[in-house]
Amino acid sequence: MVRNMETDAAAQTGRTAVVLGGGGILGATQVGMLRALLESGVRPSLIVGTSVGALNGAAIAADPTLTGVQTLAEIWGSLAEASMFTDNVIARASTLARHRTHLYSPAPLRKLLASRLPATFAELSIEFQCVASSIERAGAHWFSAGSLTDAVMASCAVPGLLPPVEIGGEHFLDGGLVHSIPVGRALALGAADVFVLHVGRIEQPLRPPRSLWDVCLTSFEVARRHRFVEEMANLPENVRVHVLPSGEEKMPLMSMRYRHPAAVAGRIKRGYRAASEYLSGQAGLT
């Protein structure tokens, strides 16, 4: 899907941006998409991410090459294999009983990010921004400087799974609560060509619910998706936006599981294959 838009900032700068949406374990799809983008010759000057897209975006902003994609794939291997988000019911119950607000300790993820990512935004190879949800201000907060690990942890702090992240006396939750796929931020920063990397949910049409569980899932998805839908429905002309296909035929509206290495590898392959096929049919990308 390609849409056209025009902004004053884009006319002035003509930047190429990659926008990475949220989606938990489903974000492995974006690893394959990123490989396809780089192989096609796309060289972004800006990366914008939310939730798991912040993790993927930070890794590629650090090293926007195929080597960087391989490093990101290794990070995903660590996420899947190291019991970072354990299925152990007793361990989850113990964490919940001790902290009362979340099921998983943030320590393993923080340790992994600190070991695989640069310490600060200033050390990145290209500009990167990620968003988190401020509890105190009930709004979006964009990170573009300071500790990279802190910013990514804040953007990835899924309510109920991980605790809020405190930075400078302010507390942050998952960026997907305020921007599930932040195309508007890329435009505001001067993007003329935008490549949207999502996890597949937006390809799944929503239908009236048939059960109480469906009501909850559908309501949550409307809340998560509406901002992106509105932005895409009201786009000015002359700026190209490519929404890359995910390669997923059936996508759950909610995924709470972060394990299973085989599933991660499969999503990476399908994302790569679908994005490669799409990009090979687009003229004038580079």
Side-chain angles (χ1 to χ4, degrees), residues 12-29:
Q12 293 171 2
T13 63
R15 308 178 74 184
T16 297
V18 172
V19 174
L20 299 108
I25 185 65
L26 307 177
T29 302

Side-chain angles (χ1 to χ4, degrees), residues 69-89:
V69 173
Q70 180 58 38
T71 298
L72 179 56
E74 292 170 1
I75 291 175
W76 274 90
S78 297
L79 284 169
E81 295 171 358
S83 299
M84 194 163 298
F85 295 92
T86 177
D87 288 333
N88 187 309
V89 175

Side-chain angles (χ1 to χ4, degrees), residues 76-135:
W76 274 90
S78 297
L79 284 169
E81 295 171 358
S83 299
M84 194 163 298
F85 295 92
T86 177
D87 288 333
N88 187 309
V89 175
I90 295 176
R92 293 202 307 261
S94 176
T95 300
L96 180 61
R98 186 163 60 254
H99 299 285
R100 298 188 297 174
T101 60
H102 54 278
L103 295 173
Y104 300 112
S105 167
L109 179 58
R110 178 175 287 277
K111 181 179 179 181
L112 176 64
L113 296 180
S115 68
R116 303 305 294 264
L117 297 179
T120 68
F121 281 80
E123 299 171 57
L124 297 174
S125 296
I126 58 178
E127 182 178 354
F128 167 69
Q129 294 193 10
C130 65
V131 64
S133 305
S134 168
I135 293 176

Side-chain angles (χ1 to χ4, degrees), residues 18 30 36 42-43 56 67 83 87-88 105 107 109 119 124 152 156 158 171-172 202 204 223 231 240 260 262 268 286:
V18 172
Q30 296 173 349
V42 173
R43 295 295 180 264
N56 291 336
T67 299
S83 299
D87 288 333
N88 187 309
S105 167
L109 179 58
L124 297 174
V152 173
C156 291
V158 180
H171 298 81
F172 298 97
I202 60 174
Q204 310 300 316
E231 288 178 347
R240 298 190 300 178
H260 305 301
I268 292 174
T286 58

